[in-house]
Amino acid sequence: MYELNEAYSQHLEAIAEAIQASPNLASYLEEEEDQFYDALKLEFEPQIEAAYQQMIDFSPLEIESFERKLLDERFEGLFLPRILGYAVLRGEITEHYYYARQNNHFGEILKAIAANSNFDQLRSRIGQSVQCGFALSSDIFVTNLVNEVSSKRVRQFLQTQRSSDARTMEGRRRIERRYRRQFKGRNYHYAPFPLTTAELTTLNNALVDFLLFRVGGELNNDALLPTLHQMVTQPDFAGRKEILKPMAIYGAYFNPSEEQLPELKAALNRERKAKPEETSDNILGFILELKQNSGFRFGPEEEQRLGTIVDRNIEDDLTAYFNLTDKIHAEGFASADVHEAIQEEQPRHSGLSNFNENIRQTIFGYFEKLMIGLGTREADYRQWFEITGVQFPAYIKVFGNESFNQQLRGLAKKYTKDLIKVHTNKRGKDYRDIKKTTMRTWQDYGFMTEKQLKEFFKTPRKKKAPEA
């Protein structure tokens, strides 16, 4: 856990003092009416929320320290239901829908809520969080946690949150999915950085997910850079494959300083020299995962940035890969020299290797970018036909890969459907040009047979309204 910086600590201290001095709190303590506690929430929870959001956006490593600060009784339980939910969702979940490790932070917050003098006001806001947290936790953890609560009444409430659906994996999956949807679009993500080799193994998946979330949006990650750099260059982690994904994320999405860049290169060189084939294949496999996941951005910019930390003096697959992709990005995927370079390099690797599949996905990314950038006007679709008319058959021949061909087919179908939705007049010049070119080229590419093409362009008949 990282210590909360002084500025945020003082800010929370000021909020705590303001809560204790609030007339709404005084009225609540005097009258013990829910309306005064609700007024207290309206007065202070937006302030805590604003501080929390700033912290998680800009200094996420300190977020658990921030949350622990809120457990102080002077905050009167405000915002605890929200951070309880965040703690539930942060835990790494296995394929069987159990926490991979005991979620102690969730337990700590729940025990603080259970002991809070305002529990009666908080209980109505924590039911789903407790149910989900309990469903994903082991029976031993839940039993021990509930038994530690001193109040019999609170223990009984917690016991009622143990859902019978949690007995099956499918039930746990439904509970977790349903609960997570409520927090869509919120930033609550955090994972600790490993300090020991044991933690590098146990925390690796959660850390990679956290880093990918951070680089997947528009968040400022300057606060992460020193800690990430220290981790990937730590000598104790040498030779551990778990360091490779964080290293690749670092190279692709972060901007190391002039002092950090040589150290990062040296750390990667260390792994490449020790285990050349394994290191290359693991990194190329991870790059492929990123390209195939629509939730992440990994295009030419990220590929070129990652390539800057790859020492080309080492003869391995990473050097060969980034030399080739540098050429693709510099000269363009339509270059005959690029076609030739790919044809020359491909046979040196097995057809379904991470190396060759990555090259195919790099090229497909350019076709996809072309389609996304075009509209449906005549000038646009003529540009599409002009480029794909040359490049589709060229790359079908270069790669000789049916899966890649199907990707091109899907792209062509999508764009053509967009065209015929706009150009609907079957006697019009645009429609006839689109149909004629498509009928001719798609058969040549092997995308569809003549019969399938006729069916593709057939207008579905409207169902007749039933007679009265």
Side-chain angles (χ1 to χ4, degrees):
M1 184 179 72
Y2 301 85
E3 292 297 322
L4 186 62
N5 73 64
E6 190 60 27
Y8 281 100
S9 183
Q10 290 181 2
H11 183 55
L12 287 180
E13 187 66 25
I15 293 177
E17 292 175 0
I19 290 171
Q20 291 303 307
S22 170
N24 284 319
L25 177 60
S27 298
Y28 170 64
L29 294 175
E30 174 107 8
E31 304 292 338
E32 297 185 355
E33 293 289 340
D34 290 350
Q35 67 187 71
F36 296 114
Y37 189 81
D38 291 340
L40 197 67
K41 283 193 299 186
L42 290 173
E43 184 179 2
F44 290 104
E45 283 201 345
Q47 297 179 41
I48 301 173
E49 170 84 52
Y52 184 95
Q53 208 55 58
Q54 187 175 25
M55 168 63 72
I56 195 75
D57 285 351
F58 292 95
S59 301
L61 299 184
E62 301 170 36
I63 200 62
E64 285 197 354
S65 293
F66 184 102
E67 291 172 348
R68 284 187 173 91
K69 187 86 172 174
L70 296 177
L71 304 185
D72 189 320
E73 278 281 355
R74 294 177 301 157
F75 287 96
E76 301 294 338
L78 298 177
F79 209 65
L80 292 191
R82 178 65 58 81
I83 65 172
L84 180 71
Y86 292 159
V88 167
L89 294 173
R90 279 197 206 115
E92 181 187 346
I93 300 169
T94 69
E95 60 183 3
H96 300 294
Y97 279 83
Y98 280 120
Y99 285 130
R101 289 169 302 284
Q102 190 166 286
N103 193 337
N104 291 323
H105 191 54
F106 158 67
E108 184 180 5
I109 296 171
L110 183 55
K111 282 189 284 187
I113 291 174
N116 195 280
S117 58
N118 302 310
F119 177 79
D120 286 341
Q121 281 66 42
L122 300 174
R123 63 184 291 172
S124 63
R125 301 169 64 195
I126 66 170
Q128 283 187 296
S129 300
V130 176
Q131 184 184 92
C132 186
F134 281 3
L136 301 174
S137 299
S138 70
D139 287 341
I140 294 174
F141 174 80
V142 174
T143 299
N144 289 342
L145 193 154
V146 172
N147 288 342
E148 288 178 23
V149 174
S150 58
S151 169
K152 181 180 178 181
R153 182 171 55 87
V154 176
R155 285 201 306 273
Q156 289 175 337
F157 168 79
L158 295 177
Q159 289 286 12
T160 64
Q161 305 309 312
R162 302 180 77 164
S163 171
S164 59
D165 288 346
R167 294 172 184 168
T168 66
M169 188 191 77
E170 181 57 30
R172 294 189 295 275
R173 187 191 70 84
R174 284 198 303 270
I175 291 170
E176 193 273 342
R177 292 284 179 86
R178 184 169 59 242
Y179 186 67
R180 189 175 293 275
R181 280 197 295 268
Q182 300 177 35
F183 293 82
K184 188 177 180 180
R186 290 189 177 274
N187 180 10
Y188 52 82
H189 301 267
Y190 163 75
F193 281 74
L195 300 175
T196 66
T197 53
E199 288 181 343
L200 181 62
T201 301
T202 58
L203 301 178
N204 188 255
N205 290 338
L207 176 64
V208 169
D209 288 345
F210 169 58
L211 290 174
L212 289 176
F213 171 81
R214 294 293 306 191
V215 301
E218 302 298 323
L219 296 169
N220 184 307
N221 293 313
D222 291 347
L224 297 180
L225 186 53
T227 307
L228 178 59
H229 181 81
Q230 183 180 10
M231 187 195 79
V232 301
T233 57
Q234 186 170 318
D236 290 349
F237 294 162
R240 302 296 298 266
K241 67 178 182 180
E242 293 87 358
I243 201 65
L244 297 178
K245 287 184 179 181
M247 197 176 281
I249 294 170
Y250 185 3
Y253 297 100
F254 288 79
N255 294 308
S257 66
E258 291 182 6
E259 294 78 19
Q260 292 169 329
L261 184 57
E263 295 175 351
L264 176 58
K265 282 186 174 182
L268 180 55
N269 284 352
R270 176 191 70 198
E271 303 304 317
R272 294 169 71 192
K273 290 175 182 177
K275 300 176 181 178
E277 291 186 14
E278 183 179 336
T279 298
S280 294
D281 198 53
N282 279 328
I283 290 179
L284 290 173
F286 182 54
I287 293 172
L288 187 58
E289 286 178 33
L290 297 177
K291 288 179 181 177
Q292 292 175 335
N293 191 325
S294 60
F296 301 118
R297 180 189 76 254
F298 192 96
E301 183 181 342
E302 290 74 30
E303 195 155 63
Q304 288 175 293
R305 189 184 291 125
L306 180 55
T308 63
I309 73 167
V310 175
D311 186 345
R312 309 303 169 88
N313 293 316
I314 299 175
E315 293 188 8
D316 63 1
D317 281 356
L318 286 182
T319 290
Y321 178 78
F322 284 102
N323 282 345
L324 182 53
T325 54
D326 281 352
K327 186 176 183 68
I328 294 169
H329 299 317
E331 299 182 21
F333 77 108
S335 163
D337 286 345
V338 167
H339 296 172
E340 186 178 338
I342 294 173
Q343 281 183 311
E344 185 179 332
E345 186 62 42
Q346 268 195 130
R348 297 171 183 162
H349 314 272
S350 67
L352 298 179
S353 65
N354 287 329
F355 187 105
N356 282 336
E357 184 59 24
N358 261 297
I359 297 300
R360 289 192 284 267
Q361 293 312 306
T362 291
I363 296 301
F364 177 74
Y366 277 107
F367 281 121
E368 188 173 44
K369 184 178 180 182
L370 171 67
M371 186 206 72
I372 292 171
L374 291 175
T376 54
R377 297 173 304 172
E378 181 181 359
D380 293 315
Y381 71 70
R382 289 202 178 279
Q383 183 182 353
W384 171 261
F385 290 144
E386 181 181 345
I387 294 174
T388 61
V390 175
Q391 298 307 319
F392 272 12
Y395 278 108
I396 288 171
K397 181 180 178 181
V398 165
F399 290 135
N401 180 269
E402 184 57 31
S403 178
F404 177 79
N405 297 349
Q406 291 302 313
Q407 282 188 290
L408 295 185
R409 178 180 183 270
L411 211 59
K413 280 183 65 177
K414 184 179 186 308
Y415 184 62
T416 307
K417 282 182 177 180
D418 289 342
L419 291 177
I420 60 180
K421 281 179 182 176
V422 173
H423 303 288
T424 55
N425 182 2
K426 293 195 173 186
R427 295 188 178 185
K429 178 178 178 298
D430 288 316
Y431 183 90
R432 285 186 287 110
D433 283 350
I434 293 164
K435 182 177 180 179
K436 179 182 177 181
T437 304
T438 301
M439 292 285 288
R440 173 174 51 82
T441 58
W442 284 17
Q443 290 183 76
D444 292 341
Y445 304 155
F447 287 175
M448 286 186 183
T449 63
E450 183 178 2
K451 182 179 179 181
Q452 289 171 326
L453 280 161
K454 287 180 179 178
E455 191 67 27
F456 180 79
F457 281 100
K458 186 184 293 184
T459 303
R461 292 184 178 180
K462 292 182 180 179
K463 291 183 180 180
K464 292 183 180 181
E467 295 182 5

